[in-house]
Amino acid sequence: MEDQEMQLKVRRVSDKFTESMYVLANEPSVALYRLQEHVRRSLPELVQHKTDMQSWEEQSQGAIYSVEYACSAVKSMTNSSMYFKNIDGLLRQAISMKEQISSSQGRSLSDVTPSPSPLVSASHAPSTSP
């Protein structure tokens, strides 16, 4: 009887040991399966987020470039005030010269324009009466 009890105990211990070995052997593969399952579900969403972020990065880089370009244009405009002052002076000088030329041409034209000649016949003379 003791022999049967011993066999039963040995069988229980060996069954428990086998069950433990089975669980220990399969546990990593179950964990890896769960991990693979999780990756399969979440990977497409992660890829979409990555492409969205890359698109946003490109757009923001373009906006940053535009802002930097605008800032440099404004800075160059503030540095060009002396050129505008120079242009203003040259324009004023050109206007003054134009006025001098116009007034001198007006005087020379009055010197050159002949007065109406008495030799012009009455038929060719302009009429002033209505």
Side-chain angles (χ1 to χ4, degrees), residues 11-112:
R11 182 175 298 267
R12 282 184 193 163
V13 168
S14 67
D15 285 346
K16 291 289 183 183
F17 183 73
T18 303
E19 185 181 336
S20 295
M21 291 304 291
Y22 179 77
V23 168
L24 286 174
N26 287 326
E27 182 62 30
S29 63
V30 170
L32 289 175
Y33 174 76
R34 296 290 183 205
L35 185 62
Q36 179 185 14
E37 192 177 58
H38 173 72
V39 168
R40 279 188 184 165
R41 273 184 297 173
S42 62
L43 189 63
E45 187 177 340
L46 290 173
V47 168
Q48 183 62 40
H49 282 298
K50 180 182 177 185
T51 55
D52 289 346
M53 291 299 288
Q54 287 174 335
S55 172
W56 293 336
E57 180 186 14
E58 289 172 6
Q59 290 175 357
S60 63
Q61 288 295 328
I64 289 170
Y65 176 77
S66 296
V67 168
E68 287 176 349
Y69 185 73
C71 287
S72 68
V74 168
K75 285 178 184 175
S76 68
M77 286 176 68
T78 58
N79 293 337
S80 64
S81 65
M82 67 175 195
Y83 298 113
F84 285 119
K85 288 178 184 175
N86 189 16
I87 290 170
D88 181 50
L90 290 172
L91 284 173
R92 290 180 192 277
Q93 187 179 10
I95 290 170
S96 170
M97 291 177 127
K98 168 71 170 116
E99 288 173 352
Q100 287 176 358
I101 290 171
S102 295
S103 67
S104 68
Q105 281 181 346
R107 275 186 273 142
S108 66
L109 284 177
S110 66
D111 294 343
V112 174

